[in-house]
Amino acid sequence: MANLGEFEFIAQLLQGPAAEGQPFYRHPLALGIGDDAALIPPLGPQEQLAVASDMLIEGRHYLADCDPRSLGHKVLAVNLSDLAAMGARPLAFTLSAGLREIRRPWIESFLDGMLSLARESQCPLVGGDTTAVGAQASEVFSVTVLGVVRVGTALRRDGLQPGDDLWVSGHLGDAAFALNQGIDDSKLNAPQPRLVLGLGLVGLASAAIDISDGLQSELMHLLNAAQRRAAQPQCLQANVNWQELPLGPLIRQAALAGRLTPSQAAGLAITGGDEYELLFAAAPRERARIEALGPQLGLALTRIGSVEFSDTPGVRWRDAAEAQPPESLQDMITRGGFRHF
Ligand code: ADP
Ligand code: MG
């Protein structure tokens, strides 16, 4: 039979794929799928919970005919990326699904993608909800992740300080380019949440955020959060050299081949969403330690600019000669990246 009923589906989850390889399920106080609620083993005395939720809606965040394995990976990856940006270690997650029908090969691939990443990240599926939506309705997947941080050490957006350096992990622009060009790219289909980096930045970074809506937009979130938290009103400016952004291999190639102008390539890196890299801030005295962390993790960490007091708050994009970006790039930045509404 091609379709599963709700209870068959839950029974299938209970048979083991959620528990497989997960130390959580061996803890005597842990309880996963199958009861009215999951039970999380006690945390350490100096630990607190970090909680994040993200939802993917058919037709809005993904297409109906997309690869289910990649979708399963992605719905968990975007949530783990939020934990990474807080410097939290994954603990467990729940999955709520609104489905028109539970088609067997499709849902098995979806779970395979999701649970492979769950195993790699030691983040077990411990519960959720499964509901039928109308025959014409969009399907929807919502994940809630739980993570753990040592009390007071989480990487908050509002920790940004004037004088801080700004850094990004990995490279930017390829996810947006791949989406636009219909290219099958791992950056788009299988983003890797930067969990190990997030943990490594605890005690080093003053603030962090993951890049889901585009670098420009995330820079503004950091600045706004710091401004909201400041006791005195303060005007903060992020000063970033657009020519020195770490561009993804796809757009670097396209720029070399003349298919993208340097401005267009930078525009993709600045406004492109779905990156799931970390943007973080750190005091200049931490430069050497951050530079050592990159090779240790096999992940490029690039210093892209700094934060300063200024009469003109916001992001100042400039080149090495302090000149403004060309008008075509300025236009792209003003039009902005991905908007949800
Ligand atoms: P209840 O009626 O108490 O909400 P359900 O029938 O919805 O119970 O769920 C039964 C069990 O199956 C619960 O432990 C729930 O967490 C789990 N479950 C249901 N749907 C999912 C899902 N999509 N992913 C993981 N666990 C699920
Ligand atoms: Mg339920």
Side-chain angles (χ1 to χ4, degrees):
M1 199 184 80
N3 284 1
L4 296 174
E6 177 191 334
F7 294 117
E8 278 176 294
F9 171 58
I10 294 169
Q12 199 168 71
L13 283 175
L14 270 171
Q15 274 164 16
E20 203 178 292
Q22 293 286 5
F24 172 93
Y25 277 92
R26 294 194 291 272
H27 193 289
L29 292 173
L31 187 61
I33 295 166
D35 210 316
D36 295 312
L39 293 174
I40 306 289
L43 304 181
Q46 282 305 311
E47 289 180 335
Q48 65 183 139
L49 269 185
V51 184
S53 281
D54 246 314
M55 186 152 75
L56 294 187
I57 301 174
E58 184 188 8
R60 165 137 214 106
H61 302 105
Y62 68 93
L63 296 174
D65 63 356
C66 77
D67 170 33
R69 199 174 190 288
S70 149
L71 182 64
H73 173 98
K74 200 157 173 177
V75 65
L76 178 58
V78 301
N79 278 278
L80 290 173
S81 177
D82 285 324
L83 287 187
M86 295 303 285
R89 161 174 64 81
L91 183 62
F93 77 105
T94 63
L95 167 70
S96 293
L99 303 168
R100 284 185 296 271
E101 54 186 8
I102 309 177
R103 292 146 288 161
R104 195 195 287 274
W106 195 96
I107 202 72
E108 280 166 2
S109 298
F110 175 91
L111 285 175
D112 188 41
M114 198 177 64
L115 295 176
S116 301
L117 178 61
R119 273 190 297 276
E120 278 165 39
S121 316
Q122 304 242 310
C123 187
L125 176 61
V126 298
D129 199 23
T130 309
T131 327
V133 296
Q136 306 300 321
S138 297
E139 297 201 322
V140 51
F141 295 96
S142 174
V143 161
T144 297
V145 277
L146 306 178
V148 185
V149 280
R150 267 182 63 80
V151 167
T153 68
L155 305 174
R156 299 166 50 132
R157 295 180 182 185
D158 62 10
L160 185 76
Q161 300 292 329
D164 278 353
D165 292 328
L166 292 166
W167 299 78
V168 290
S169 66
H171 51 69
L172 303 175
D174 275 4
F177 186 65
L179 183 66
N180 180 271
Q181 303 282 305
I183 300 170
D184 212 7
D185 182 60
S186 65
K187 193 72 197 174
L188 184 63
N189 299 328
Q192 291 304 309
R194 301 304 187 193
L195 287 161
V196 184
L197 173 61
L199 290 171
L201 290 175
V202 170
L204 278 184
S206 52
I209 188 169
D210 68 322
I211 305 179
S212 52
D213 293 345
L215 181 60
Q216 161 78 22
S217 157
E218 314 304 352
L219 281 165
M220 289 306 297
H221 287 315
L222 285 185
L223 295 173
N224 290 335
Q227 268 154 6
R228 275 196 303 274
R229 196 188 187 194
Q232 306 285 332
Q234 59 178 22
C235 286
L236 291 179
Q237 186 185 68
N239 191 315
V240 187
N241 183 342
W242 65 270
Q243 287 174 326
E244 283 179 2
L245 294 173
L247 302 182
L250 279 180
I251 60 171
R252 229 179 316 126
Q253 264 297 318
L256 278 175
R259 284 181 288 124
L260 288 176
T261 65
S263 288
Q264 285 172 324
L268 283 164
I270 292 169
T271 63
D274 281 334
E275 292 290 351
Y276 305 106
E277 294 297 343
L278 297 188
L279 163 66
F280 57 97
R285 65 172 180 279
E286 307 294 1
R287 275 181 202 171
R289 286 168 73 195
I290 293 170
E291 275 158 8
L293 192 59
Q296 218 175 302
L297 304 179
L299 180 63
L301 300 179
T302 310
R303 185 152 54 83
I304 60 164
S306 59
V307 181
E308 292 148 17
F309 283 120
S310 165
D311 295 336
T312 49
V315 187
R316 184 161 82 88
W317 296 100
R318 55 160 184 90
D319 61 20
E322 296 293 321
Q324 292 214 345
E327 207 165 312
S328 58
L329 175 56
Q330 199 62 59
D331 268 3
M332 245 176 119
I333 298 171
T334 320
R335 270 186 286 121
F338 183 77
R339 291 269 175 274
H340 291 287
F341 297 101

